[in-house]
Amino acid sequence: MANADRTRKLFIRSAVVTAGTAATLFGAQNLALLDGNTFQTTNTVPSSETAQILTLNEAVTIEQSAPSVTILRHHSQPHVEEKGIASGGFSIMPPVPSQVTTGQTVIYQQQAPMPQVSQSSR
Amino acid sequence: MNTYHISFRAMGCQITIQLQTEADATPILDTIPDQVEQLEAQLSRFRLASDLMHLNARAGEWVAVSEALFETIHIAKHTARLTDGLYNPLVLPAMIASGYDRSFEQLTAPTPRPSSPVPDWHDIDLRVSSHQVRLPKGSAIDLGGIAKGWTANFIADQLGQYGACLVNFGGDMVARGAPLEWSGWQVGIHDPHTDSIIAMLALSDTAIATSGVDYRRWKIATGDTYHHIINPKTGKPAKTDVISATVIHPNACYAEAYAKAVIILGAQDGLVWLNDQWDAQGLVVCADGKILATPYFLASSQEQETGELS
């Protein structure tokens, strides 16, 4: 009788330990999956909303070089364009001002946003 | 919705601002030149009466400075740390020794003097509560592009309250929002070799800066050509295979400083370093005509090819 009790208690303890171990493993796996998901969401490439290339000069060739460097053009290719005109027939000449204030400062309204050029400061 | 445009010259460059708003922007934009003038009067090394030159004249002492100067020096020190000293605001004596001793428009044919090592940026001390700064004795600060970047950020933050804007300080730009029916403000990257546009970008809520040795360069008495980008490790104009570097970063100050760091490091090492900065991407034009970029430039252009852009 005493032996049967002891056996039953032992069986119940074993079952509790096994269930606990299984629950721990299951929880750990879930946490790992959760971490993986979080990692994926926080390590995506920056949003393309901040910087997008609209057009690429036709003279530019694109190639993959070292893992973190991309070659856009191998060497200087003569691609001299009419000054003030960007590739794709895109004009960067300013529009005619419709409203001009005094002095060298000029304020006016324009039809549409005017493209700008990023270059060494001048 | 109207798009307003203002253009004027200050801080040694042409400033162009576009603001798209339903409000009458003329009185808003009218105040901008004065604001820039006031900031230039505090931050310029070419004005003997500026807060900056006052601070430089008292290197070694604690000096209370304006909020704008304190903030820019704080950013400059932080940038020096991020670039491991490749950007160092204490290059001014070295820059003057190399011949860049006056505003670029007034520069003739200077004779460079031997330069001493650039002091350690760690030795710039700041007291946040009282806006005090102490420079290492015998040193002097040139904020350079950081002053311009900070001013451009400041103006863009103000104008952004009225609508989308693009603030362009001589080629370094801050974009806030995007113009109506556009995915961003259109910005071309200049190719100094061909004087053409390498690529057109659409920028919103970010900044872009291009630094280069193609401009602000001068011939010295020996016939050699010097430029304004000093390598703090040598105290002399950087020897580099890069003609110009363009960096996109959310903050114009960092974009400007990172572009200089890339030039000093050289094309390959510079872009590898830049790629390790999680919030920046860049493109360089090399002396031999090569154009290199961090992978995100390529990723962006591929999005364009697959028609994902609006």
Side-chain angles (χ1 to χ4, degrees):
Chain A
M1 193 65 182
N3 270 349
D5 259 3
R6 205 173 294 153
T7 307
R8 203 181 60 198
K9 279 180 187 169
L10 208 63
F11 178 75
I12 291 169
R13 275 184 199 154
S14 301
V16 167
V17 169
T18 309
T21 308
T24 307
L25 285 172
F26 183 70
Q29 195 182 17
N30 273 347
L31 280 175
L33 283 172
L34 201 65
D35 280 352
N37 286 340
T38 312
F39 180 78
Q40 278 176 1
T41 48
T42 53
N43 282 277
T44 48
V45 231
S47 161
S48 60
E49 285 172 12
T50 54
Q52 301 167 330
I53 293 190
L54 292 179
T55 60
L56 208 58
N57 191 317
E58 284 172 10
V60 171
T61 53
I62 299 170
E63 236 176 73
Q64 199 71 37
S65 172
S68 54
V69 176
T70 301
I71 298 176
L72 295 180
R73 186 177 71 195
H74 270 293
H75 51 81
S76 191
Q77 297 164 353
H79 189 77
V80 182
E81 300 179 7
E82 195 181 331
K83 203 162 184 170
I85 306 293
S87 52
F90 177 78
S91 171
I92 50 173
M93 298 299 285
V96 179
S98 60
Q99 185 189 350
V100 180
T101 60
T102 53
Q104 290 185 321
T105 301
V106 179
I107 302 179
Y108 59 85
Q109 278 188 47
Q110 57 196 36
Q111 294 294 317
M114 192 172 75
Q116 301 288 299
V117 178
S118 184
Q119 58 194 355
S120 21
S121 189
R122 55 196 70 181
Chain B
M1 188 72 76
N2 296 315
T3 306
Y4 290 83
H5 175 118
I6 181 170
S7 186
F8 58 98
R9 197 157 179 89
M11 291 193 158
C13 66
Q14 190 64 30
I15 296 173
T16 303
I17 297 168
Q18 295 180 73
L19 171 64
Q20 200 171 66
T21 177
E22 287 180 345
D24 176 10
T26 307
I28 301 163
L29 292 175
D30 225 6
T31 66
I32 302 296
D34 282 346
Q35 291 188 51
V36 174
E37 162 60 27
Q38 282 173 29
L39 289 169
E40 186 175 4
Q42 295 173 49
L43 307 176
S44 174
R45 75 153 165 121
F46 299 116
R47 298 195 182 187
L48 292 178
S50 71
D51 275 15
L52 177 66
M53 292 310 281
H54 178 64
L55 173 68
N56 282 341
R58 294 174 64 189
E61 300 171 33
W62 281 105
V63 180
V65 299
S66 67
E67 194 178 339
L69 183 55
F70 187 85
E71 274 192 37
T72 46
I73 293 175
H74 195 192
I75 290 172
K77 188 173 177 182
H78 187 229
T79 311
R81 182 183 172 278
L82 291 174
T83 60
D84 196 21
L86 288 170
Y87 168 82
N88 184 338
L90 297 174
V91 294
L92 181 55
M95 202 179 283
I96 289 172
S98 73
Y100 193 7
D101 56 356
R102 65 202 73 183
S103 174
F104 188 73
E105 289 90 345
Q106 298 164 7
L107 214 60
T108 49
T111 306
R113 301 190 301 273
S115 64
S116 47
V118 177
D120 190 342
W121 60 268
H122 287 92
D123 296 332
I124 302 171
D125 292 323
L126 302 170
R127 279 180 182 157
V128 178
S129 58
S130 54
H131 281 181
Q132 284 182 302
V133 180
R134 183 173 63 187
L135 303 181
K137 211 165 186 176
S139 73
I141 280 187
D142 174 30
L143 291 164
I146 289 212
K148 265 196 294 189
W150 189 88
T151 308
N153 282 338
F154 178 78
I155 300 295
D157 285 343
Q158 271 186 61
L159 296 180
Q161 298 170 37
Y162 300 99
C165 64
L166 182 69
V167 176
N168 179 357
F169 274 49
D172 297 345
M173 292 173 231
V174 180
R176 293 280 184 267
L180 203 63
E181 295 177 358
W182 291 82
S183 56
W185 294 94
Q186 294 176 79
V187 174
I189 299 176
H190 179 245
D191 183 345
H193 284 296
T194 60
D195 204 17
S196 62
I197 302 298
I198 297 165
M200 288 301 297
L201 311 174
L203 301 183
S204 64
D205 295 316
T206 193
I208 187 168
T210 297
S211 195
V213 298
D214 58 318
Y215 197 67
R216 289 179 198 266
R217 52 195 292 155
W218 56 93
K219 274 206 187 302
I220 59 170
T222 60
D224 290 338
T225 303
Y226 268 26
H227 58 78
H228 73 296
I229 296 176
I230 301 290
N231 183 345
K233 316 278 182 197
T234 63
K236 291 182 176 164
K239 289 185 176 166
T240 178
D241 60 341
V242 176
I243 291 286
S244 74
T246 299
V247 171
I248 295 172
H249 188 282
N251 185 315
C253 300
Y254 295 97
E256 167 71 27
Y258 282 10
K260 283 197 169 66
V262 168
I263 288 175
I264 292 166
L265 282 170
Q268 284 282 342
D269 291 348
L271 287 179
V272 169
W273 174 83
L274 191 66
N275 198 46
D276 287 340
Q277 315 307 309
W278 67 274
D279 48 0
Q281 51 186 304
L283 174 147
V284 298
V285 179
C286 300
D288 64 1
K290 267 191 294 196
I291 298 175
L292 310 175
T294 52
Y296 186 54
F297 264 92
L298 179 62
S300 302
S301 64
Q302 282 170 338
E303 279 170 21
Q304 164 66 12
E305 282 162 12
T306 54
E308 288 178 21
L309 295 181
S310 56

